Amino acid sequence: MSISSAFDSGAIEVVSLADHRDIQLRIKADNASEFAQWFHFRLQGAEGLPVTLRFLNAGNSAYPEGWTDYQVVASYDRQHWFRIPSEYDGQVLSTQLTPAGNSLYFAYFEPYSDERHLDLIGFASVSDKVKLEPLGQTLDGRDMTLLRITDSDSKTSLAQKKNIWLTARQHPGETMAEWFMEGFLERLLDGDDPVSRVLLERCQFYVVPNMNPDGAARGNLRTNSVGANLNREWQAPSLERSPEVFLVRQRMLETGIDLFLDVHGDEALPYNFVAGCEGNPSYSPRLETLENAFKAAWIAASPDFQDRFGYGRDEPGQANLTLATNWVGEHFDCLAYTIEMPFKDNADLPDPVYGWNGERSKKLGESVMQPILAVLHQLR
Ligand code: ZN
Protein backbone atom coordinates (compact mmCIF):
# COMPACT_ATOMS: atom_id res chain seq x y z
CA MET A 1 0.00 0.00 0.00
CA SER A 2 1.12 3.56 -0.61
CA ILE A 3 -0.26 7.08 -0.27
CA SER A 4 0.89 10.00 -2.42
CA SER A 5 -0.05 13.66 -2.68
CA ALA A 6 2.67 15.16 -4.91
CA PHE A 7 0.18 16.52 -7.46
CA ASP A 8 -1.96 19.60 -8.00
CA SER A 9 -3.70 20.52 -4.71
CA GLY A 10 -2.40 17.35 -3.06
CA ALA A 11 -2.16 17.52 0.75
CA ILE A 12 -1.95 14.91 3.53
CA GLU A 13 0.48 13.65 6.17
CA VAL A 14 0.79 9.89 6.62
CA VAL A 15 1.32 8.75 10.23
CA SER A 16 0.98 4.98 9.75
CA LEU A 17 0.31 2.66 6.83
CA ALA A 18 1.15 -0.50 8.78
CA ASP A 19 -2.43 -1.80 9.01
CA HIS A 20 -5.03 -1.35 6.26
CA ARG A 21 -7.76 -1.46 8.95
CA ASP A 22 -6.15 1.52 10.70
CA ILE A 23 -4.51 3.89 8.22
CA GLN A 24 -3.51 6.89 10.32
CA LEU A 25 -3.37 10.33 8.70
CA ARG A 26 -3.02 13.95 9.69
CA ILE A 27 -4.67 16.84 7.86
CA LYS A 28 -1.93 19.17 6.68
CA ALA A 29 -1.89 22.86 7.57
CA ASP A 30 -1.67 25.50 4.80
CA ASN A 31 1.99 25.96 3.81
CA ALA A 32 2.45 29.23 5.73
CA SER A 33 -0.40 29.33 8.24
CA GLU A 34 -2.18 27.27 10.89
CA PHE A 35 -5.38 26.62 8.92
CA ALA A 36 -5.82 22.88 8.32
CA GLN A 37 -8.91 21.36 6.67
CA TRP A 38 -8.20 20.52 3.02
CA PHE A 39 -6.92 17.08 2.05
CA HIS A 40 -6.39 15.41 -1.32
CA PHE A 41 -4.38 12.24 -1.80
CA ARG A 42 -4.15 8.91 -3.61
CA LEU A 43 -4.22 5.44 -2.05
CA GLN A 44 -2.70 2.64 -4.11
CA GLY A 45 -2.39 -1.10 -3.57
CA ALA A 46 -5.53 -1.58 -1.47
CA GLU A 47 -7.87 -3.26 -3.98
CA GLY A 48 -10.22 -5.65 -2.20
CA LEU A 49 -8.94 -4.76 1.27
CA PRO A 50 -11.41 -3.38 3.83
CA VAL A 51 -9.62 -0.14 4.69
CA THR A 52 -10.27 2.31 7.48
CA LEU A 53 -8.76 5.78 7.17
CA ARG A 54 -8.46 7.83 10.34
CA PHE A 55 -7.73 11.58 10.29
CA LEU A 56 -6.26 11.88 13.77
CA ASN A 57 -6.22 15.68 14.07
CA ALA A 58 -9.68 16.45 12.65
CA GLY A 59 -10.74 17.88 16.04
CA ASN A 60 -7.91 20.42 15.87
CA SER A 61 -8.61 21.55 12.30
CA ALA A 62 -9.70 25.05 11.30
CA TYR A 63 -13.42 24.18 11.45
CA PRO A 64 -14.02 21.06 13.58
CA GLU A 65 -17.79 21.54 13.20
CA GLY A 66 -17.22 20.86 9.51
CA TRP A 67 -16.80 17.13 10.23
CA THR A 68 -20.20 16.56 11.86
CA ASP A 69 -22.44 14.85 9.25
CA TYR A 70 -19.63 15.19 6.70
CA GLN A 71 -18.87 12.36 4.25
CA VAL A 72 -15.43 12.04 2.64
CA VAL A 73 -15.25 12.42 -1.17
CA ALA A 74 -13.49 9.80 -3.34
CA SER A 75 -12.90 8.97 -7.00
CA TYR A 76 -11.27 6.19 -9.02
CA ASP A 77 -10.95 8.14 -12.27
CA ARG A 78 -10.68 11.76 -10.98
CA GLN A 79 -13.86 12.59 -12.96
CA HIS A 80 -16.63 11.04 -10.86
CA TRP A 81 -16.44 11.89 -7.17
CA PHE A 82 -18.75 10.13 -4.73
CA ARG A 83 -19.23 10.16 -0.96
CA ILE A 84 -18.09 7.37 1.34
CA PRO A 85 -19.56 6.71 4.81
CA SER A 86 -17.63 8.71 7.42
CA GLU A 87 -17.88 9.32 11.14
CA TYR A 88 -16.58 12.00 13.48
CA ASP A 89 -16.20 11.31 17.20
CA GLY A 90 -15.21 14.84 18.23
CA GLN A 91 -11.50 14.30 17.56
CA VAL A 92 -10.96 11.70 14.83
CA LEU A 93 -12.68 11.59 11.42
CA SER A 94 -12.91 7.98 10.20
CA THR A 95 -14.00 6.60 6.85
CA GLN A 96 -14.26 3.03 5.64
CA LEU A 97 -14.54 1.25 2.31
CA THR A 98 -13.16 -1.66 0.31
CA PRO A 99 -11.58 -0.19 -2.83
CA ALA A 100 -12.81 -1.84 -6.04
CA GLY A 101 -9.62 -0.76 -7.81
CA ASN A 102 -5.96 -0.41 -7.07
CA SER A 103 -5.89 3.41 -7.19
CA LEU A 104 -8.34 5.61 -5.35
CA TYR A 105 -8.27 9.38 -4.76
CA PHE A 106 -9.67 11.04 -1.65
CA ALA A 107 -10.45 14.73 -1.16
CA TYR A 108 -12.24 17.12 1.18
CA PHE A 109 -14.38 18.22 -1.78
CA GLU A 110 -14.39 17.56 -5.53
CA PRO A 111 -11.13 19.27 -6.63
CA TYR A 112 -10.92 21.99 -9.28
CA SER A 113 -7.45 21.69 -10.80
CA ASP A 114 -5.10 24.37 -12.06
CA GLU A 115 -5.34 22.75 -15.54
CA ARG A 116 -9.12 23.01 -15.46
CA HIS A 117 -8.79 26.63 -14.32
CA LEU A 118 -6.55 27.38 -17.32
CA ASP A 119 -8.97 25.52 -19.61
CA LEU A 120 -11.85 27.64 -18.28
CA ILE A 121 -9.92 30.85 -19.00
CA GLY A 122 -9.07 29.45 -22.45
CA PHE A 123 -12.70 28.54 -23.20
CA ALA A 124 -13.90 32.02 -22.24
CA SER A 125 -11.10 33.92 -23.94
CA VAL A 126 -12.00 32.75 -27.47
CA SER A 127 -15.52 34.22 -27.24
CA ASP A 128 -16.02 37.51 -29.10
CA LYS A 129 -17.82 38.76 -25.98
CA VAL A 130 -14.70 38.37 -23.83
CA LYS A 131 -11.63 40.52 -23.37
CA LEU A 132 -8.95 38.81 -21.31
CA GLU A 133 -7.05 41.22 -19.07
CA PRO A 134 -3.79 40.05 -17.49
CA LEU A 135 -3.69 41.85 -14.13
CA GLY A 136 -0.26 40.71 -12.98
CA GLN A 137 1.26 37.77 -11.16
CA THR A 138 1.00 36.01 -7.83
CA LEU A 139 3.96 35.46 -5.50
CA ASP A 140 4.51 31.99 -7.02
CA GLY A 141 4.44 33.51 -10.51
CA ARG A 142 0.95 32.42 -11.57
CA ASP A 143 -1.20 34.71 -13.71
CA MET A 144 -4.02 36.74 -12.20
CA THR A 145 -6.56 36.88 -15.01
CA LEU A 146 -9.64 39.05 -15.34
CA LEU A 147 -12.34 38.30 -17.90
CA ARG A 148 -14.22 41.39 -19.10
CA ILE A 149 -17.45 40.29 -20.75
CA THR A 150 -20.08 42.25 -22.64
CA ASP A 151 -21.86 42.46 -25.97
CA SER A 152 -19.93 45.18 -27.76
CA ASP A 153 -22.59 45.43 -30.51
CA SER A 154 -25.35 46.33 -28.09
CA LYS A 155 -27.41 49.54 -28.21
CA THR A 156 -26.51 50.40 -24.61
CA SER A 157 -23.37 52.51 -24.45
CA LEU A 158 -20.51 51.31 -22.27
CA ALA A 159 -21.01 54.28 -19.93
CA GLN A 160 -24.65 53.28 -19.40
CA LYS A 161 -23.85 49.63 -18.74
CA LYS A 162 -23.90 48.30 -15.19
CA ASN A 163 -20.53 47.09 -13.94
CA ILE A 164 -20.90 43.70 -12.32
CA TRP A 165 -17.95 41.99 -10.62
CA LEU A 166 -17.69 38.34 -9.61
CA THR A 167 -14.74 36.83 -7.75
CA ALA A 168 -14.29 33.27 -6.49
CA ARG A 169 -11.97 31.13 -4.48
CA GLN A 170 -10.22 33.71 -2.32
CA HIS A 171 -10.14 30.67 -0.04
CA PRO A 172 -8.52 28.14 -2.36
CA GLY A 173 -9.84 24.97 -0.70
CA GLU A 174 -13.39 26.14 -1.45
CA THR A 175 -13.29 24.54 -4.89
CA MET A 176 -17.09 24.64 -5.25
CA ALA A 177 -16.60 28.37 -5.86
CA GLU A 178 -14.77 27.78 -9.15
CA TRP A 179 -17.25 25.08 -10.19
CA PHE A 180 -19.90 27.79 -9.63
CA MET A 181 -17.90 30.14 -11.89
CA GLU A 182 -17.67 27.48 -14.62
CA GLY A 183 -21.48 27.17 -14.65
CA PHE A 184 -21.86 30.94 -14.60
CA LEU A 185 -19.44 31.53 -17.48
CA GLU A 186 -20.82 28.71 -19.64
CA ARG A 187 -24.33 30.14 -19.34
CA LEU A 188 -23.24 33.76 -19.76
CA LEU A 189 -21.46 32.85 -23.01
CA ASP A 190 -24.33 30.73 -24.35
CA GLY A 191 -25.59 32.81 -27.29
CA ASP A 192 -28.95 31.00 -27.23
CA ASP A 193 -29.75 31.92 -23.64
CA PRO A 194 -32.17 34.88 -23.48
CA VAL A 195 -31.19 35.88 -19.93
CA SER A 196 -27.50 35.99 -20.85
CA ARG A 197 -28.25 38.00 -23.99
CA VAL A 198 -30.14 40.63 -22.03
CA LEU A 199 -27.46 40.77 -19.33
CA LEU A 200 -24.66 41.21 -21.88
CA GLU A 201 -26.70 43.92 -23.62
CA ARG A 202 -27.05 45.93 -20.42
CA CYS A 203 -23.99 45.03 -18.33
CA GLN A 204 -20.28 44.72 -18.42
CA PHE A 205 -19.11 41.74 -16.35
CA TYR A 206 -15.71 41.52 -14.68
CA VAL A 207 -14.98 37.95 -13.61
CA VAL A 208 -12.03 36.52 -11.66
CA PRO A 209 -12.67 32.74 -11.59
CA ASN A 210 -9.80 32.03 -9.18
CA MET A 211 -8.54 34.72 -6.79
CA ASN A 212 -5.94 32.41 -5.21
CA PRO A 213 -4.26 30.13 -7.77
CA ASP A 214 -1.15 29.68 -5.59
CA GLY A 215 -3.09 28.47 -2.58
CA ALA A 216 -5.15 26.21 -4.85
CA ALA A 217 -2.13 24.48 -6.39
CA ARG A 218 -0.45 24.15 -3.01
CA GLY A 219 -3.46 22.39 -1.50
CA ASN A 220 -4.19 25.19 1.00
CA LEU A 221 -7.60 25.67 2.56
CA ARG A 222 -7.62 29.36 3.26
CA THR A 223 -4.39 31.25 2.46
CA ASN A 224 -1.97 32.19 -0.30
CA SER A 225 1.70 31.12 -0.48
CA VAL A 226 2.83 33.54 2.28
CA GLY A 227 -0.04 32.73 4.62
CA ALA A 228 -2.33 35.68 3.82
CA ASN A 229 -6.07 35.08 4.20
CA LEU A 230 -7.06 37.13 1.15
CA ASN A 231 -10.54 37.80 2.49
CA ARG A 232 -9.02 39.83 5.33
CA GLU A 233 -6.81 41.98 3.07
CA TRP A 234 -9.26 44.33 1.38
CA GLN A 235 -8.62 47.48 3.35
CA ALA A 236 -4.86 47.57 2.81
CA PRO A 237 -3.60 44.92 0.38
CA SER A 238 0.07 44.96 -0.63
CA LEU A 239 2.09 43.56 -3.52
CA GLU A 240 4.37 41.82 -1.00
CA ARG A 241 1.68 40.00 0.95
CA SER A 242 -1.54 39.96 -1.08
CA PRO A 243 -0.90 40.92 -4.72
CA GLU A 244 -4.04 38.95 -5.71
CA VAL A 245 -6.26 41.43 -3.84
CA PHE A 246 -4.08 44.45 -4.63
CA LEU A 247 -4.34 43.88 -8.40
CA VAL A 248 -8.06 43.13 -8.47
CA ARG A 249 -8.95 46.00 -6.14
CA GLN A 250 -6.89 48.44 -8.23
CA ARG A 251 -8.91 47.48 -11.32
CA MET A 252 -12.18 47.75 -9.39
CA LEU A 253 -11.32 51.32 -8.43
CA GLU A 254 -10.92 52.11 -12.14
CA THR A 255 -14.18 50.50 -13.30
CA GLY A 256 -16.55 51.24 -10.43
CA ILE A 257 -19.01 48.57 -9.28
CA ASP A 258 -22.81 48.34 -9.35
CA LEU A 259 -23.09 44.72 -8.13
CA PHE A 260 -20.50 42.42 -6.54
CA LEU A 261 -20.67 38.71 -5.81
CA ASP A 262 -17.84 36.89 -4.00
CA VAL A 263 -18.18 33.10 -4.11
CA HIS A 264 -17.18 30.82 -1.21
CA GLY A 265 -17.86 27.49 0.51
CA ASP A 266 -18.85 26.98 4.14
CA GLU A 267 -17.48 24.07 6.15
CA ALA A 268 -20.31 23.74 8.65
CA LEU A 269 -23.72 24.74 7.28
CA PRO A 270 -25.48 22.30 4.91
CA TYR A 271 -27.14 25.04 2.86
CA ASN A 272 -26.58 27.59 0.10
CA PHE A 273 -26.96 31.13 1.36
CA VAL A 274 -25.70 34.70 1.07
CA ALA A 275 -24.18 37.15 3.54
CA GLY A 276 -24.61 40.87 2.91
CA CYS A 277 -23.48 44.28 4.11
CA GLU A 278 -26.01 45.06 6.86
CA GLY A 279 -23.17 45.92 9.27
CA ASN A 280 -21.52 48.49 7.00
CA PRO A 281 -21.44 52.12 8.23
CA SER A 282 -23.22 53.39 5.12
CA TYR A 283 -25.76 50.54 4.79
CA SER A 284 -29.07 52.04 3.72
CA PRO A 285 -32.72 51.15 3.02
CA ARG A 286 -31.86 51.26 -0.69
CA LEU A 287 -29.29 48.45 -0.24
CA GLU A 288 -31.66 46.48 1.97
CA THR A 289 -34.35 46.66 -0.72
CA LEU A 290 -31.83 45.46 -3.32
CA GLU A 291 -30.67 42.60 -1.07
CA ASN A 292 -34.22 41.41 -0.47
CA ALA A 293 -35.15 41.61 -4.15
CA PHE A 294 -32.02 39.64 -5.09
CA LYS A 295 -32.68 36.91 -2.52
CA ALA A 296 -36.37 36.57 -3.45
CA ALA A 297 -35.51 36.24 -7.14
CA TRP A 298 -32.86 33.59 -6.42
CA ILE A 299 -35.23 31.58 -4.23
CA ALA A 300 -37.71 31.65 -7.11
CA ALA A 301 -35.01 30.62 -9.62
CA SER A 302 -33.44 27.68 -7.75
CA PRO A 303 -34.71 25.34 -5.00
CA ASP A 304 -31.03 24.88 -4.09
CA PHE A 305 -30.93 28.44 -2.73
CA GLN A 306 -32.56 29.48 0.54
CA ASP A 307 -32.58 32.26 3.12
CA ARG A 308 -33.69 30.51 6.34
CA PHE A 309 -30.20 29.38 7.40
CA GLY A 310 -27.01 31.44 7.21
CA TYR A 311 -24.62 33.52 9.28
CA GLY A 312 -25.89 35.77 12.06
CA ARG A 313 -26.45 39.33 10.95
CA ASP A 314 -23.82 41.96 11.80
CA GLU A 315 -24.89 44.70 14.20
CA PRO A 316 -25.21 48.13 12.53
CA GLY A 317 -21.77 49.62 11.93
CA GLN A 318 -19.95 46.50 13.18
CA ALA A 319 -19.00 44.94 9.82
CA ASN A 320 -15.42 43.79 9.28
CA LEU A 321 -14.33 45.99 6.37
CA THR A 322 -11.29 43.82 5.60
CA LEU A 323 -13.70 41.36 3.90
CA ALA A 324 -14.15 41.76 0.15
CA THR A 325 -17.94 42.00 0.25
CA ASN A 326 -18.03 44.58 3.04
CA TRP A 327 -15.21 46.67 1.59
CA VAL A 328 -16.75 46.71 -1.89
CA GLY A 329 -20.27 47.37 -0.57
CA GLU A 330 -19.00 50.26 1.55
CA HIS A 331 -16.64 51.82 -0.98
CA PHE A 332 -18.97 51.62 -3.99
CA ASP A 333 -22.28 51.91 -2.11
CA CYS A 334 -23.52 48.93 -4.11
CA LEU A 335 -25.28 45.61 -3.65
CA ALA A 336 -22.56 43.17 -2.53
CA TYR A 337 -23.02 39.57 -1.43
CA THR A 338 -20.82 36.74 -0.25
CA ILE A 339 -22.25 33.51 -1.68
CA GLU A 340 -21.72 30.38 0.46
CA MET A 341 -22.15 26.79 -0.70
CA PRO A 342 -21.83 23.69 1.51
CA PHE A 343 -18.95 21.23 1.73
CA LYS A 344 -21.48 18.69 3.01
CA ASP A 345 -24.80 18.77 1.17
CA ASN A 346 -27.89 20.90 0.77
CA ALA A 347 -30.08 19.53 3.59
CA ASP A 348 -33.19 20.77 1.74
CA LEU A 349 -32.40 18.58 -1.29
CA PRO A 350 -29.91 15.97 -0.07
CA ASP A 351 -28.11 13.57 -2.41
CA PRO A 352 -26.66 10.65 -0.41
CA VAL A 353 -24.46 9.46 -3.29
CA TYR A 354 -22.74 12.73 -4.21
CA GLY A 355 -23.61 15.26 -1.53
CA TRP A 356 -23.02 18.81 -2.73
CA ASN A 357 -20.56 18.56 -5.64
CA GLY A 358 -19.06 20.28 -8.66
CA GLU A 359 -22.02 19.74 -10.97
CA ARG A 360 -24.53 21.06 -8.46
CA SER A 361 -22.30 24.09 -7.87
CA LYS A 362 -22.29 24.69 -11.64
CA LYS A 363 -26.10 24.61 -11.72
CA LEU A 364 -26.23 27.16 -8.90
CA GLY A 365 -23.78 29.34 -10.83
CA GLU A 366 -26.09 29.17 -13.85
CA SER A 367 -29.10 30.08 -11.72
CA VAL A 368 -27.57 33.28 -10.30
CA MET A 369 -28.25 35.02 -13.65
CA GLN A 370 -31.92 35.22 -12.73
CA PRO A 371 -31.55 37.36 -9.56
CA ILE A 372 -29.00 39.56 -11.36
CA LEU A 373 -31.58 40.17 -14.09
CA ALA A 374 -34.27 40.81 -11.49
CA VAL A 375 -32.42 43.68 -9.77
CA LEU A 376 -30.72 45.16 -12.84
CA HIS A 377 -33.09 48.12 -13.28
CA GLN A 378 -32.68 49.12 -9.58
CA LEU A 379 -28.88 48.96 -9.32
CA ARG A 380 -28.18 52.65 -9.97
ZN1 ZN B 1 -14.41 31.29 2.12
Side-chain angles (χ1 to χ4, degrees), residues 171 174 222 231 264-265 340:
H171 297 141
E174 296 164 6
R222 209 160 162 80
N231 206 24
H264 288 253
E340 297 282 356

PDB file of all heavy atoms in Angstrom, residues 171 174 222 231 264-265 340, ligand 1:
ATOM      1  N   HIS A 171     -10.553  31.797  -0.879  1.00  0.00           N
ATOM      2  CA  HIS A 171     -10.143  30.666  -0.045  1.00  0.00           C
ATOM      3  C   HIS A 171      -9.995  29.452  -0.969  1.00  0.00           C
ATOM      4  O   HIS A 171     -10.990  28.901  -1.438  1.00  0.00           O
ATOM      5  CB  HIS A 171     -11.196  30.410   1.042  1.00  0.00           C
ATOM      6  CG  HIS A 171     -11.327  31.574   1.985  1.00  0.00           C
ATOM      7  ND1 HIS A 171     -12.527  32.012   2.486  1.00  0.00           N
ATOM      8  CD2 HIS A 171     -10.367  32.394   2.499  1.00  0.00           C
ATOM      9  CE1 HIS A 171     -12.305  33.059   3.287  1.00  0.00           C
ATOM     10  NE2 HIS A 171     -11.006  33.309   3.299  1.00  0.00           N
ATOM     11  N   GLU A 174     -11.954  26.085  -1.171  1.00  0.00           N
ATOM     12  CA  GLU A 174     -13.390  26.136  -1.452  1.00  0.00           C
ATOM     13  C   GLU A 174     -13.598  25.982  -2.958  1.00  0.00           C
ATOM     14  O   GLU A 174     -14.007  26.906  -3.674  1.00  0.00           O
ATOM     15  CB  GLU A 174     -13.968  27.443  -0.900  1.00  0.00           C
ATOM     16  CG  GLU A 174     -13.850  27.486   0.634  1.00  0.00           C
ATOM     17  CD  GLU A 174     -14.035  28.866   1.258  1.00  0.00           C
ATOM     18  OE1 GLU A 174     -14.381  29.825   0.536  1.00  0.00           O
ATOM     19  OE2 GLU A 174     -13.793  28.984   2.465  1.00  0.00           O
ATOM     20  N   ARG A 222      -7.121  28.011   2.993  1.00  0.00           N
ATOM     21  CA  ARG A 222      -7.622  29.363   3.259  1.00  0.00           C
ATOM     22  C   ARG A 222      -6.653  30.484   2.902  1.00  0.00           C
ATOM     23  O   ARG A 222      -7.038  31.650   2.909  1.00  0.00           O
ATOM     24  CB  ARG A 222      -7.950  29.433   4.760  1.00  0.00           C
ATOM     25  CG  ARG A 222      -9.048  30.393   5.092  1.00  0.00           C
ATOM     26  CD  ARG A 222      -9.666  30.111   6.426  1.00  0.00           C
ATOM     27  NE  ARG A 222     -10.401  31.261   6.899  1.00  0.00           N
ATOM     28  CZ  ARG A 222     -11.621  31.591   6.511  1.00  0.00           C
ATOM     29  NH1 ARG A 222     -12.263  30.839   5.646  1.00  0.00           N
ATOM     30  NH2 ARG A 222     -12.212  32.663   6.986  1.00  0.00           N
ATOM     31  N   ASN A 231      -9.283  37.140   2.125  1.00  0.00           N
ATOM     32  CA  ASN A 231     -10.544  37.802   2.489  1.00  0.00           C
ATOM     33  C   ASN A 231     -10.445  38.562   3.815  1.00  0.00           C
ATOM     34  O   ASN A 231     -11.463  38.845   4.445  1.00  0.00           O
ATOM     35  CB  ASN A 231     -11.699  36.796   2.526  1.00  0.00           C
ATOM     36  CG  ASN A 231     -13.042  37.461   2.273  1.00  0.00           C
ATOM     37  OD1 ASN A 231     -13.106  38.539   1.651  1.00  0.00           O
ATOM     38  ND2 ASN A 231     -14.111  36.851   2.753  1.00  0.00           N
ATOM     39  N   HIS A 264     -17.897  31.585  -2.234  1.00  0.00           N
ATOM     40  CA  HIS A 264     -17.179  30.816  -1.213  1.00  0.00           C
ATOM     41  C   HIS A 264     -17.870  29.480  -0.947  1.00  0.00           C
ATOM     42  O   HIS A 264     -18.938  29.191  -1.467  1.00  0.00           O
ATOM     43  CB  HIS A 264     -17.157  31.604   0.108  1.00  0.00           C
ATOM     44  CG  HIS A 264     -16.248  32.784   0.088  1.00  0.00           C
ATOM     45  ND1 HIS A 264     -15.050  32.810   0.752  1.00  0.00           N
ATOM     46  CD2 HIS A 264     -16.360  33.984  -0.539  1.00  0.00           C
ATOM     47  CE1 HIS A 264     -14.466  33.981   0.555  1.00  0.00           C
ATOM     48  NE2 HIS A 264     -15.230  34.718  -0.228  1.00  0.00           N
ATOM     49  N   GLY A 265     -17.239  28.695  -0.038  1.00  0.00           N
ATOM     50  CA  GLY A 265     -17.859  27.493   0.508  1.00  0.00           C
ATOM     51  C   GLY A 265     -17.808  27.563   2.023  1.00  0.00           C
ATOM     52  O   GLY A 265     -16.876  28.137   2.588  1.00  0.00           O
ATOM     53  N   GLU A 340     -22.282  31.554  -0.215  1.00  0.00           N
ATOM     54  CA  GLU A 340     -21.715  30.381   0.458  1.00  0.00           C
ATOM     55  C   GLU A 340     -22.427  29.123  -0.018  1.00  0.00           C
ATOM     56  O   GLU A 340     -23.659  29.056  -0.038  1.00  0.00           O
ATOM     57  CB  GLU A 340     -21.870  30.507   1.981  1.00  0.00           C
ATOM     58  CG  GLU A 340     -21.130  31.690   2.596  1.00  0.00           C
ATOM     59  CD  GLU A 340     -19.634  31.451   2.759  1.00  0.00           C
ATOM     60  OE1 GLU A 340     -19.162  30.324   2.472  1.00  0.00           O
ATOM     61  OE2 GLU A 340     -18.930  32.405   3.174  1.00  0.00           O
TER      62      GLU A 340
HETATM   63 ZN    ZN B   1     -14.413  31.293   2.117  1.00  0.00          ZN
END
